[in-house]
Amino acid sequence: MHKYYNSLLKKSIIVFILGLLLPLEVIAKIPNDPDLVKQSFHTQINSQIAWNYATGSKNVIVAVIDVGVDIDHPDLKDNFWINSGEIADNGIDDDHNGYIDDVRGWNFVEDNNDVRVPKIKKTDEFDVISHGTIVAGLIGAKGDNHLLAVGINWSVSIMPIRAMANDGVGSFVDVAKAVDYAVGNGAAVVNLSIVSDLNSDGLKQAITRAWHKGVVVVAAAGNEGYFTKGDLDLNPAYPICYDNGLIDNFILGVASIESKKSLSNFSSYGSCVDLSAPGRNINSTLYYAPAADFNDYFGGQVKGTSFATPQVAGTAALLKSLIPDWKASEINNFIINNSDDISVANVGFEKDVGRGLNVGNVIKEAIGTVAYLRDSISNLYYQQGN
């Protein structure tokens, strides 16, 4: 077991931690959330361009497997998944999925239906307690609601799953169960902002099952950095490297880059990485627990590949909202192929950083693809009718 990779280098990461008629060239769409100005990553990945075409859908479920999430957070509460097959607090497994009263998800640490972080103390570390809430906010803090900031998806269904304890420690077994739970309950995307240098066949099998069900799995590269043991080809980490060297690219691996698209000095890197996204000075939703002196709903200024990863997961969800029939292979390839070549900014690491996430271009190109598919189908019907 190892400690979570969070905002700082002081610890190791945890093992378980249509507007089809819009023109293609448009100006940025800006929501009215007042703290958007503190979220520079949106500008770096061109979120504002993407929002001209899509702002997300409640039909897309994104599982956040983490330490727990503040489900009462005012900028998140409208975007949480609700298990419609379950009747709350009746002590019965109404939907027969093996979990009683799992209306909001499941807690695999304490084995109950409370997906929040329990028993928060003043001595707990801020970046660990808020980790899952930060991730959730990057994926889907509600947009254009005059409140705090915004996620890549203004509307989405976030499925919170607790698989790590308050100190950031968890087990492969719990994370594997969490992945299976997410897939079994309809998640289209799974965010894994966790990493370990230990391997687990059980977790690999769970992620492989998710892939075969068409679910996108996104994983962090880790924060070992290029001054230590951050070369994933020499020091592989998991789950990001489970698919390394295989034909099927069944995990989107994410590293961190700076504002000028160069690799962050704390980020791990290597052939396991498919994409890089901003991972420094990240502001998002925070866990609010004033009794333990967690007094802020928003902020952070955190850093780490943990927070680059949900930007990719959020992009996958936004793309899924446009083309719901696409499976993981199509979504993964489309995001990679329509993001930026950042090799010039990464001399010496050209093959180690993947492509630079560009959600604006991904969604713009997706609109063109949808329009092409629509016209092709219309033409086919026309030909058949004649």
Side-chain angles (χ1 to χ4, degrees), residues 15 86 104 140 166 200 346 379 384:
V15 181
E86 199 72 22
R104 293 291 189 93
N166 291 27
S200 164
N346 289 280
N379 185 52
Q384 289 176 340

Side-chain angles (χ1 to χ4, degrees), residues 296-308:
D296 297 317
Y297 281 114
F298 174 83
Q301 286 289 97
V302 292
K303 68 178 180 181
T305 60
S306 282
F307 311 118

Side-chain angles (χ1 to χ4, degrees), residues 151-324:
I152 290 174
N153 296 265
W154 299 7
S155 179
V156 70
S157 290
I158 297 168
M159 178 191 291
I161 305 175
R162 176 168 158 90
M164 278 77 67
N166 291 27
D167 58 359
V169 174
S171 73
F172 284 109
V173 171
D174 284 346
V175 175
K177 288 180 180 178
V179 172
D180 284 336
Y181 176 90
V183 174
N185 288 279
V189 182
V190 174
N191 188 92
L192 292 171
S193 288
I194 58 176
V195 67
S196 171
D197 58 4
L198 300 178
N199 199 344
S200 164
D201 190 56
L203 179 56
K204 182 178 181 180
Q205 290 178 10
I207 293 174
T208 304
R209 286 191 292 271
W211 163 262
H212 287 302
K213 291 288 184 67
V215 177
V216 176
V217 178
V218 191
N223 301 335
E224 293 294 347
Y226 53 72
F227 295 120
T228 54
K229 57 176 185 177
D231 187 340
L232 295 172
D233 295 308
L234 296 177
N235 306 291
Y238 305 96
I240 184 176
C241 290
Y242 281 143
D243 63 353
N244 198 27
L246 301 180
I247 295 175
D248 290 331
N249 184 27
F250 60 84
I251 298 172
L252 282 177
V254 187
S256 170
I257 51 175
E258 303 296 314
S259 59
K260 295 185 179 180
K261 303 187 184 301
S262 60
L263 181 69
S264 300
N265 61 8
F266 58 79
S267 179
S268 296
Y269 57 91
S271 58
C272 303
V273 173
D274 301 294
L275 292 155
S276 290
R280 189 187 297 275
N281 297 331
I282 302 298
N283 287 302
S284 182
T285 47
L286 301 177
Y287 205 107
Y288 183 71
D293 290 340
F294 292 88
N295 296 311
D296 297 317
Y297 281 114
F298 174 83
Q301 286 289 97
V302 292
K303 68 178 180 181
T305 60
S306 282
F307 311 118
T309 301
Q311 295 171 49
V312 174
T315 299
L318 201 59
L319 182 55
K320 185 79 172 178
S321 74
L322 285 176
I323 314 179

Side-chain angles (χ1 to χ4, degrees), residues 92-157:
I92 299 173
D93 180 13
D94 300 286
D95 60 359
H96 307 291
N97 70 348
Y99 300 91
I100 296 173
D101 293 337
D102 59 320
V103 176
R104 293 291 189 93
W106 195 254
N107 177 338
F108 287 93
V109 178
E110 286 80 22
D111 195 27
N112 61 40
N113 67 345
D114 189 353
V115 296
R116 297 168 294 182
V117 181
K119 300 178 181 179
I120 301 173
K121 304 184 299 293
K122 293 182 179 181
T123 54
D124 287 334
E125 295 186 55
F126 146 81
D127 49 356
V128 177
I129 297 301
S130 282
H131 196 274
T133 304
I134 293 170
V135 167
L138 295 172
I139 294 168
K142 188 172 182 178
D144 214 36
N145 63 345
H146 295 279
L147 182 65
L148 299 176
V150 62
I152 290 174
N153 296 265
W154 299 7
S155 179
V156 70
S157 290

